Amino acid sequence: MAKDDYVPLFETRPVKGRILFRLFAASIFVGICFICVYRVRFLPVEGKVERWTWIGLFLAELWFSLYWFLTTVCRWNSVYRFPYKDRLSQRFEKELPGVDIFVCTADPLIEPPSLVINTVLSVMAYDYPPEKLSIYLSDDGGSDLTFYAMLEAATFSKQWLPFCKKFKVEPRSPEAYFRTAFEPVNDPVKAREWLSVKDMKLRIETTTKLNRIPEDIRKQHKGFREWDFVSSKRDHQTILQILIDGRDPNAVDVEGRPLPTLVYLAREKRPQFHHHFKAGAMNALIRVSSRISNGPIILNVDCDMYSNNSMSIKDSLCFFMDEEKGDEFAYIQYPQNYENLTKNELYSGSFRVAKKLEFPGLDANGGPCYIGSGCFHRREALSGKKYDKGCKVDWKRLNDNMVEESVSVLEETCKVLASCTFEQNTQWGKEMGLKYGCPVEDIITGLSIQCRGWKSIYLNPQREAFLGVAPTALLQMLIQHKRWSEGHLQIFLSRYCSLLYGHKKIPLKLRLAYCPYNLWAANCLATLYYVAVPCLCLLKDISLFPKTSSLWVLPFAYVAFAHRVHSLGEFLWCGGTFQGWYNDQRMWMFKRTTSYFFAFVDTILKLLGYSKAAFVITAKVADDDVSKRYEQELIEFGATSPMFDILATLAMLNLFSSLGAIKKVILEADHSKVLDLFGLQILLCLLLVTINFPVYQALFFRKDNGRMPSSVTYKSIVFASLACALSMY
């Protein structure tokens, strides 16, 4: 195409309101400066306790100010991306590249086969030439039940794919579709096909719920013989089966159209070899797929994150195949969305502000981080290639690679690529594929790709590209965030810290934009101090804030009030509700005082040479009525956990301090003097009590199984009482 005739395949637009946001940020910065001046100018000179509590609060405020600055950097130049699929079809319909799709699962008990195959079927049914699609399932659980479900999915796809195409089904996960669809009784032909597909789906679900594979079914496919040699899911040979060979002219659906290639892989596991979890599974898939289909584009999704938008591939190709800028992009990252969120987002699982404001900011600064799922990769970038400005992709040439070997030969050849010993003395896990040695290997992998010169794109289309399942119990959510924040902190304290690793490789703003996520866990200390110490000082008659009659109260009031009002405005603008924002503030505090604290402690213990933490977190709640309480938006506390001990103790501490403050105001002859001296501290305690209202309900009033365990109630009262007594000593 001539340069003068060039029309881009995507558009980049700045987020509206950037000038107002910058003015607001400047005003907050001025308020922070006044707060710092106040803390330095009025530092107590008498009283050791007063002086050190003052200094501690000042340090906490300095930390909050630094963290605010880092998050502001993320949003300074936010942009939105808009692909043009019609232009893509006009220019490249005959040259669309092959796409390899990786689905990863690890445990058939936690991730049931019925869940896995719904995701597999949803990506098989993309609105894309099926002969150019190859779907690979990595089963790190090595389960014959999962393999059986894949066989059923291969058969089921022959009806499901034409059904989706004929009736333009969305979403294309059978489970998600039939959960909301209504039977078309007015159209006998469509109704008959609809019922036949639904019956097939029910048969799959019924058979995959069996705890063993019947002998008559085992005899129907040679792949089941592999399990005759399996000792356990941690000790077995490579199991690789090509269930649908897209090259085979007989591999067609009920209407005669070709089917995508479908491959099952359980890589070799041996006790003496580290398997590197999901990163190891992904690297094995990269090698195996390079031998079978070698699609230049790779999509990876978690097994519980089904495709909700059949046009996602073409949306992504608008960036990869753009003639002017497409060669710069290594990956297109979509946000993680969840289908089971309550109206008011009980556990703050939508990340709506991050998706609409923070990630677009990362995009403008050089590209979003890779978050491990819902991401389209350029194969050569994921495999370790450095960006070369002079290298232009010839998509037509890439499509000419056709493998000639038979299925049986390919299966045997590829087993070696997924063996335990293949990676020894190679660059896999270091410079090639996903990196090893970190719980959040996806983040450091994305960072290393960007440091090799590549850019990335964040795309958040109007119809969500992928939908998963959010935690339905508080402990599940807290444990999830502990794992995330612990991994991020380990990155910050390692050689992969963006400030150091990205020096002279990526823009400074992008290096800074990684820090708010890497420092999640570090927020715990300042938050715990601010939640506990002012309340205890209130009982000891130590004032930590300006008098309400003083002008110095204005910067504190402005920063606190304006920041929260701005937060509420952002949340509502992003489509949330007031109650949803309030729940978000509650979960913000819960995570910082529990998940982040344990993540911080775990990380420090590991740095000191301890392989395990000094505490044990209990399993998640699994009662039958948890889902019902979740739908009613009742927080689930029904388990004993050190995290709940902290939440309950802090809640009781704030309650006791508030009651003590109210008593002080009532008994003091000069009420106005007490309110003038301790007004901000009393207000802070009352706000914390209000946020903790569901905790008090769970401690004292609820009778269902989601209430706080009695042992947690007793411990929290004892610990809080002891803390209050010691503070008044």
Side-chain angles (χ1 to χ4, degrees):
M1 176 180 290
K3 194 171 183 66
D4 293 340
D5 298 330
Y6 167 72
V7 179
L9 296 180
F10 68 92
E11 182 182 358
T12 302
R13 301 176 194 165
V15 174
K16 295 180 180 179
R18 288 194 299 178
I19 302 298
L20 289 176
F21 171 74
R22 292 174 183 179
L23 291 174
F24 170 75
S27 70
I28 292 291
F29 178 74
V30 172
I32 290 172
C33 290
F34 276 108
I35 291 173
C36 292
V37 170
Y38 172 80
R39 288 295 178 200
V40 173
R41 182 175 178 182
F42 293 96
L43 176 68
V45 294
E46 296 181 359
K48 187 175 181 180
V49 174
E50 288 84 349
R51 185 165 59 254
W52 283 108
T53 52
W54 186 281
I55 292 173
L57 202 65
F58 184 30
L59 292 176
E61 289 165 349
L62 286 177
W63 173 259
F64 291 143
S65 301
L66 173 63
Y67 199 79
W68 168 83
F69 168 75
L70 293 174
T71 56
T72 302
V73 168
C74 287
R75 305 184 185 191
W76 200 252
N77 287 309
S78 299
V79 296
Y80 291 153
R81 310 283 190 173
F82 298 91
Y84 295 115
K85 295 183 290 292
D86 54 338
R87 298 177 185 175
L88 176 77
S89 299
Q90 291 171 8
R91 303 216 291 262
F92 294 105
E93 193 64 40
K94 303 292 186 180
E95 300 177 20
L96 293 175
V99 178
D100 293 344
I101 302 176
F102 299 167
V103 181
C104 296
T105 184
D107 191 326
L109 298 178
I110 299 175
E111 299 162 343
S114 58
L115 173 77
V116 175
I117 62 171
N118 271 286
T119 298
V120 169
L121 287 164
S122 73
V123 296
M124 289 181 74
Y126 269 122
D127 187 357
Y128 199 74
E131 65 275 12
K132 296 185 178 183
L133 282 179
S134 299
I135 291 81
Y136 296 81
L137 176 73
S138 171
D139 179 16
D140 264 6
S143 169
D144 56 350
L145 287 174
T146 303
F147 177 70
Y148 169 69
M150 285 289 287
L151 287 174
E152 289 287 7
T155 303
F156 182 58
S157 66
K158 295 177 182 180
Q159 287 186 271
W160 178 243
L161 269 60
F163 179 83
C164 293
K165 186 178 182 66
K166 184 175 183 178
F167 299 118
K168 301 187 184 307
V169 167
E170 292 285 4
R172 297 191 173 183
S173 160
E175 173 66 28
Y177 174 71
F178 290 119
R179 190 166 51 240
T180 57
F182 295 96
E183 184 175 351
V185 293
N186 296 327
D187 185 345
V189 176
K190 186 176 180 180
R192 185 170 60 252
E193 294 198 34
W194 191 91
L195 286 173
S196 67
V197 175
K198 188 173 183 180
D199 290 341
M200 183 72 74
K201 165 190 171 289
L202 292 174
R203 186 168 67 84
I204 291 175
E205 288 189 340
T206 302
T207 52
T208 53
K209 287 179 181 178
L210 296 173
N211 291 324
R212 62 181 182 83
I213 307 299
E215 286 300 322
D216 59 326
I217 294 178
R218 281 186 175 273
K219 295 176 182 179
Q220 294 176 10
H221 197 281
K222 63 181 179 64
F224 286 112
R225 299 176 200 159
E226 296 281 356
W227 274 267
D228 296 337
F229 307 100
V230 172
S231 301
S232 70
K233 70 176 185 178
R234 295 183 180 88
D235 187 8
H236 62 80
Q237 77 285 6
T238 299
I239 304 173
L240 191 148
Q241 296 289 312
I242 300 177
L243 306 179
I244 299 177
D245 181 9
R247 305 168 303 167
D248 185 354
N250 295 320
V252 294
D253 61 29
V254 294
E255 295 186 357
R257 298 189 186 94
L259 289 169
T261 296
L262 183 63
V263 180
Y264 172 90
L265 172 66
R267 60 194 171 113
E268 183 184 15
K269 294 279 190 71
R270 300 300 178 192
Q272 65 269 31
F273 290 96
H274 199 302
H275 58 83
H276 301 293
F277 309 107
K278 181 181 175 182
M282 282 283 292
N283 286 343
L285 287 174
I286 293 172
R287 295 191 297 271
V288 168
S289 65
S290 69
R291 192 73 181 82
I292 297 175
S293 53
N294 200 32
I297 304 298
I298 293 173
L299 163 65
N300 85 282
V301 293
D302 290 338
C303 67
D304 63 342
M305 195 71 64
Y306 67 82
S307 168
N308 185 60
N309 186 341
S310 63
M311 303 301 292
S312 296
I313 295 181
K314 292 183 178 179
D315 281 337
S316 302
L317 291 180
C318 288
F319 299 94
F320 286 123
M321 302 185 75
D322 184 82
E323 293 93 340
E324 187 171 293
K325 297 182 179 179
D327 293 323
E328 301 175 354
F329 303 131
Y331 59 87
I332 315 298
Q333 180 64 65
Y334 288 80
Q336 290 189 351
N337 295 290
Y338 303 99
E339 63 174 347
N340 63 328
L341 297 176
T342 61
K343 177 184 177 181
N344 296 307
E345 302 165 34
L346 182 62
Y347 298 125
S348 184
S350 71
F351 305 105
R352 61 176 66 249
V353 175
K355 289 187 298 188
K356 289 197 173 183
L357 294 174
E358 289 183 11
F359 266 55
L362 276 167
D363 194 358
N365 291 330
C369 51
Y370 166 42
I371 59 176
S373 181
C375 188
F376 286 85
H377 298 268
R378 188 186 298 273
R379 178 183 286 273
E380 58 183 8
L382 191 58
S383 299
K385 182 181 177 180
K386 292 184 179 180
Y387 172 66
D388 181 358
K389 189 175 182 180
C391 181
K392 296 295 182 181
V393 176
D394 184 350
W395 295 103
K396 187 175 182 179
R397 180 184 60 81
L398 289 176
N399 289 332
D400 290 339
N401 296 328
M402 180 63 71
V403 179
E404 301 295 337
E405 290 93 339
S406 66
V407 168
S408 58
V409 171
L410 275 178
E411 287 177 346
E412 292 304 316
T413 304
C414 292
K415 286 181 180 180
V416 178
L417 302 177
S419 65
C420 291
T421 57
F422 183 86
E423 293 183 351
Q424 290 183 332
N425 302 317
T426 71
Q427 290 300 308
W428 284 100
K430 301 172 186 175
E431 298 300 325
M432 298 177 67
L434 273 72
K435 290 186 175 291
Y436 298 153
C438 179
V440 283
E441 67 285 331
D442 41 15
I443 300 295
I444 60 175
T445 298
L447 176 62
S448 65
I449 290 173
Q450 291 171 331
C451 288
R452 291 198 293 268
W454 297 96
K455 294 181 181 179
S456 56
I457 291 289
Y458 172 71
L459 187 59
N460 185 19
Q462 187 171 6
R463 180 178 178 86
E464 295 95 338
F466 304 96
L467 285 178
V469 180
T472 57
L474 178 60
L475 192 56
Q476 291 178 25
M477 185 274 290
L478 294 177
I479 291 174
Q480 183 184 67
H481 279 269
K482 176 196 175 290
R483 185 175 69 251
W484 290 347
S485 57
E486 182 179 350
H488 277 284
L489 186 58
Q490 288 180 22
I491 292 175
F492 187 79
L493 299 176
S494 72
R495 72 186 186 93
Y496 290 109
C497 173
S498 60
L499 297 176
L500 301 176
Y501 189 73
H503 182 59
K504 294 184 178 180
K505 300 175 184 176
I506 58 177
L508 175 61
K509 284 198 291 186
L510 182 58
R511 286 154 54 198
L512 291 173
Y514 269 93
C515 292
Y517 307 101
N518 291 344
L519 292 172
W520 271 342
N523 278 301
C524 66
L525 300 180
T527 306
L528 283 167
Y529 194 94
Y530 229 88
V531 167
V533 173
C535 295
L536 293 173
C537 288
L538 188 60
L539 297 175
K540 197 173 176 64
D541 293 336
I542 298 176
S543 176
L544 296 175
F545 297 96
K547 294 180 180 180
T548 55
S549 59
S550 168
L551 289 177
W552 284 105
V553 79
L554 294 178
F556 285 89
Y558 175 74
V559 170
F561 180 76
H563 194 266
R564 289 304 91 196
V565 169
H566 180 258
S567 169
L568 173 60
E570 282 186 336
F571 198 89
L572 296 176
W573 181 79
C574 292
T577 64
F578 176 81
Q579 183 61 44
W581 172 80
Y582 195 61
N583 289 336
D584 185 69
Q585 303 304 296
R586 179 181 295 117
M587 292 304 126
W588 176 90
M589 191 185 76
F590 283 6
K591 288 183 292 189
R592 288 188 172 206
T593 55
T594 57
S595 301
Y596 297 173
F597 174 70
F598 285 120
F600 184 84
V601 171
D602 259 354
T603 303
I604 298 302
L605 289 173
K606 288 174 182 175
L607 288 176
L608 295 176
Y610 294 93
S611 59
K612 294 184 179 180
F615 51 85
V616 177
I617 298 177
T618 55
K620 60 186 179 181
V621 178
D623 294 339
D624 294 337
D625 52 353
V626 169
S627 295
K628 183 177 180 181
R629 288 193 291 272
Y630 176 70
E631 292 170 0
Q632 295 172 343
E633 297 197 331
L634 289 174
I635 296 180
E636 190 69 34
F637 292 99
T640 56
S641 167
M643 292 190 179
F644 289 165
D645 291 340
I646 292 178
L647 287 181
T649 300
L650 291 174
M652 294 307 301
L653 182 63
N654 291 314
L655 180 62
F656 291 161
S657 298
S658 298
L659 293 175
I662 293 172
K663 177 183 176 183
K664 192 191 301 285
V665 172
I666 294 175
L667 296 181
E668 184 68 37
D670 190 353
H671 307 308
S672 59
K673 181 180 178 181
V674 176
L675 291 174
D676 185 37
L677 188 60
F678 297 103
L680 287 185
Q681 258 167 282
I682 294 173
L683 180 61
L684 175 61
C685 288
L686 292 176
L687 284 173
L688 292 171
V689 168
T690 305
I691 284 179
N692 281 311
F693 184 69
V695 180
Y696 304 129
Q697 282 184 312
L699 286 169
F700 303 114
F701 303 109
R702 284 173 57 177
K703 302 300 181 183
D704 55 68
N705 292 333
R707 67 184 182 277
M708 197 76 82
S710 300
S711 60
V712 176
T713 303
Y714 299 145
K715 283 189 286 186
S716 65
I717 294 174
V718 171
F719 292 155
S721 300
L722 185 61
C724 291
L726 291 174
S727 68
M728 292 186 292
Y729 178 70

